[in-house]
Amino acid sequence: MGKFDWFGKIGATPEAVAVLNDQPILFTILIIVLVAVILQCVLLWYIHYATMKPEQKKKKEKKEKKKKPERKLSASTECDREIWIEAEMALFTDKRLGSAR
């Protein structure tokens, strides 16, 4: 039982596991190289961001409320809608006239 037997569970060949168990410094070097590459990517991104001209930088735009698209109503539903609107308008008008008296 070696230190790197778990590599076999994630798909490494028995030969690769044997090499890592024999020379564990290879795994350490792999981790160091991966960390160095990630740090270089971060440094490159920062240089890119820091050297951008002000007009190249994206300004925050105000988000507008998106309107929901109106549904296409059937003929009977459209007729019911018109009747409802007329009834509401009549009720609203009656209330305004009643309060004005």
Side-chain angles (χ1 to χ4, degrees):
M1 291 300 273
K3 206 173 172 184
F4 295 98
D5 286 339
W6 59 275
F7 267 106
K9 294 177 184 175
I10 60 171
T13 62
E15 293 85 10
V17 173
V19 168
L20 283 175
N21 284 329
D22 187 44
Q23 301 172 358
I25 190 72
L26 293 176
F27 184 72
T28 307
I29 292 171
L30 172 69
I31 298 299
I32 291 171
V33 168
L34 287 174
V35 168
V37 168
I38 290 170
L39 286 175
Q40 283 182 351
C41 289
V42 169
L43 178 66
L44 286 173
W45 172 82
Y46 176 73
I47 290 171
H48 167 73
Y49 182 77
T51 58
M52 285 175 64
K53 297 176 184 172
E55 58 268 7
Q56 291 174 324
K57 292 182 181 179
K58 258 189 178 178
K59 295 181 181 177
K60 291 184 180 179
E61 296 178 8
K62 295 180 181 177
K63 293 184 181 179
E64 295 181 14
K65 292 184 179 178
K66 294 183 181 179
K67 295 181 180 177
K68 293 183 182 178
E70 290 191 26
R71 298 183 300 170
K72 183 72 176 173
L73 302 175
S74 65
S76 64
T77 309
E78 186 67 34
C79 183
D80 292 343
R81 183 177 180 198
E82 288 176 10
I83 293 170
W84 182 80
I85 291 173
E86 288 175 9
E88 285 290 317
M89 290 299 292
L91 182 64
F92 178 72
T93 309
D94 288 344
K95 283 184 179 178
R96 292 189 79 195
L97 291 176
S99 64
R101 291 182 191 172

